[in-house]
Amino acid sequence: MNRTNPDEPLTVNQLHGKPAGVVTRTLAGAIDYAVAAILLGSSYLGLAALQFLWNPVRFSWPVWPIATWLVLGFVYLVAYLWLAWATNGKTLGGVLMGTRVVSISGKRLGPVRALLRAAFCTAFPIGLFACAATPRSRSVQDIVLLTKVVYHYRNATVQIERLPD
Amino acid sequence: MGEPSPAQRVADTALGVAGAAAPVVGAVARRGWRTASKIWSVAARPPLVPERWTLGHFTDQAEIRGRAMREQASIDLAETSTRLGDALVPLVAHQVLSRLETIDLSQVRLDPTQLEQALDVVVPFTVEATLSRLDPLVLIENHIRLEQIEKLLDAHLADVLALTLSQLDLTAIVRENVDLVGLTNDVVDQVDLAGITQNVIDEIDLQAIIRESTSGIAGDVVNGTRASAATADEFIASFFGRRRPNPPGATV
């Protein structure tokens, strides 16, 4: 659908398929971090529950060093992002915020590139903010791995504010 | 007072003699009556004489016959009086009415007080006697037609009811005469509230409404967040002095 009238208000449907901005991607990333944190916390509680069931008398909360938290968190986040991007291109944050990670040609990422991007994003999250200043809203990971993040809405008709030129 | 006449003197003498002899005669008569009664009791039913041949039996039979004759005479006299009345009353009534016709009623002066007293006596008696002889069902059957009642009701029932209701304080009447708590309890007991509630829930499909409204609210929140974030994206992009290479809305 071509928008011929510049005064016509924008809707999120009209952004479908366009490069997503830094705010939308940051919110989606925050949601993904929360998902990974929930997975990590669930793992800790699950391990504690197993220890309690194994020996309730001598139960004590497991003590994990900070390195364990960091390594496990890294692993969980990479695994979660990899599986999401390699299959549907959408993490939970992407589903809620309406973004999808695709290749530069618009296709779904392969497993290797999805894994590399997941590891890159997890190890260097600040690279996301490059999309605020780059012409096509591309982060460092997008530039290196030839990917992009686009708006991916479905049946959304909410009107958004159109900024003056 | 002059000298009494010879006849007066004779009468006075006889009266004096009678007055002097009366006690003696009375005593003799009482004694004689007692004696006669004893003699009669023996003579009326003497011993060894069959009852049917005694003098008492004959006197008893005579008494019975005399009583019957007296009663028959009374009956005959009543019948004769009735026949006589039947013969005389029409004649008398005719004569009375014939004379009433000759009276100029306009010249008759009625005393209002007497007339009112007469009416007080006559009217209740007459009305009661009349009403006691009336049969409402017969009156309705003979003199009232249902079509007339229907027309009357059609024409005036609404006005009559409206006027009646306007004069009544129905709320006060209900409060004073109706056991509202008992009535409510009876109604509640008669009504299957659980069944009605279940039917209402089944009809309105409450689960679908809750599901749709919940999903609608969640969808509104998500869309609102997306729109706000997209607006912020636009702002950031304009802040860095660039427009999107593919402006929003170019192609969906």
Side-chain angles (χ1 to χ4, degrees):
Chain A
M1 180 180 68
N2 294 326
R3 185 166 66 91
T4 57
N5 185 3
D7 295 331
E8 182 182 349
L10 293 174
T11 65
V12 292
N13 264 350
Q14 293 170 329
L15 295 174
H16 184 82
K18 306 307 170 202
V22 63
V23 176
T24 301
R25 294 175 61 172
T26 301
L27 290 176
I31 295 172
D32 293 335
Y33 269 98
V35 171
I38 291 172
L39 291 175
L40 185 60
S42 300
S43 298
Y44 175 80
L45 293 176
L47 179 63
L50 288 176
Q51 289 182 352
F52 178 79
L53 293 174
W54 182 259
N55 192 352
V57 177
R58 301 179 66 180
F59 171 76
S60 62
W61 288 97
V63 178
W64 287 358
I66 188 65
T68 303
W69 287 101
L70 291 176
V71 171
L72 276 180
F74 181 85
V75 172
Y76 280 172
L77 186 56
V78 169
Y80 164 64
L81 295 176
W82 175 42
L83 291 175
W85 288 338
T87 54
N88 189 31
K90 283 186 168 184
T91 60
L92 180 60
V95 170
L96 293 177
M97 295 307 300
T99 60
R100 185 182 185 189
V101 178
V102 293
S103 66
I104 198 69
S105 60
K107 296 180 180 178
R108 179 170 54 87
L109 297 182
V112 176
R113 187 156 51 170
L115 178 59
L116 291 176
R117 191 177 193 279
F120 198 177
C121 289
T122 304
F124 190 62
I126 198 171
L128 167 68
F129 295 102
C131 68
T134 53
R136 294 179 179 272
S137 294
R138 301 180 70 183
S139 66
V140 174
Q141 290 83 359
D142 291 330
I143 295 171
V144 172
L145 296 173
L146 299 178
T147 60
K148 62 180 180 182
V149 179
V150 297
Y151 294 114
H152 193 270
Y153 301 136
R154 181 178 299 172
N155 298 328
T157 57
V158 176
Q159 179 176 316
I160 65 174
E161 181 183 357
R162 183 173 183 274
L163 295 174
D165 295 333
Chain B
M1 180 180 296
E3 187 69 20
S5 63
Q8 185 69 42
R9 292 178 61 187
V10 171
D12 291 341
T13 302
L15 183 60
V17 172
V24 178
V25 174
V28 172
R30 284 193 295 274
R31 185 175 299 275
W33 175 256
R34 285 197 293 268
T35 303
S37 297
K38 291 180 180 177
I39 293 172
W40 172 254
S41 63
V42 175
R45 286 181 174 80
L48 303 179
V49 177
E51 173 64 24
R52 59 183 300 187
W53 298 112
T54 60
L55 186 58
H57 176 73
F58 286 114
T59 57
D60 291 342
Q61 293 298 319
E63 181 184 357
I64 294 171
R65 190 177 301 111
R67 185 182 301 115
M69 291 173 64
R70 177 175 54 82
E71 293 175 353
Q72 184 62 42
S74 299
I75 295 172
D76 293 341
L77 179 60
E79 292 178 351
T80 304
S81 300
T82 302
R83 285 196 297 271
L84 185 60
D86 292 341
L88 290 178
V89 167
L91 296 175
V92 173
H94 177 71
Q95 293 300 322
V96 170
L97 292 176
S98 62
R99 282 163 177 73
L100 284 177
E101 291 175 353
T102 61
I103 297 175
D104 186 2
L105 294 177
S106 62
Q107 299 299 323
V108 176
R109 293 185 178 180
L110 296 176
D111 184 0
T113 305
Q114 294 180 351
L115 179 61
E116 185 176 354
Q117 292 176 351
L119 291 177
D120 289 342
V121 174
V122 173
V123 169
F125 173 76
T126 306
V127 170
E128 183 178 358
T130 304
L131 292 179
S132 65
R133 285 164 174 76
L134 291 178
D135 187 348
L137 295 178
V138 175
L139 284 176
I140 293 174
E141 290 177 355
N142 294 336
H143 301 285
I144 297 178
R145 289 187 299 176
L146 293 178
E147 294 79 7
Q148 294 177 339
I149 297 177
E150 290 178 353
K151 290 181 180 178
L152 188 64
L153 292 178
D154 291 340
H156 301 290
L157 181 60
D159 295 336
V160 171
L161 285 179
L163 181 61
T164 304
L165 292 176
S166 66
Q167 300 295 326
L168 295 177
D169 185 358
L170 290 178
T171 303
I173 293 174
V174 170
R175 284 177 177 170
E176 291 178 359
N177 299 285
V178 178
D179 181 10
L180 294 176
V181 176
L183 182 62
T184 305
N185 291 334
D186 292 341
V187 172
V188 171
D189 292 340
Q190 295 295 326
V191 175
D192 183 13
L193 290 178
I196 294 175
T197 305
Q198 186 61 46
N199 290 334
V200 171
I201 292 175
D202 293 340
E203 290 295 329
I204 65 176
D205 195 3
L206 187 60
Q207 294 177 350
I209 292 176
I210 294 175
R211 184 168 58 249
E212 292 176 359
S213 60
T214 304
S215 62
I217 292 173
D220 292 341
V221 171
V222 169
N223 289 331
T225 304
R226 289 177 177 178
S228 299
T231 303
D233 292 339
E234 288 283 318
F235 175 76
I236 295 296
S238 63
F239 177 78
F240 283 97
R242 63 173 174 78
R243 298 298 300 173
R244 299 288 180 80
N246 297 314
T251 303
V252 174

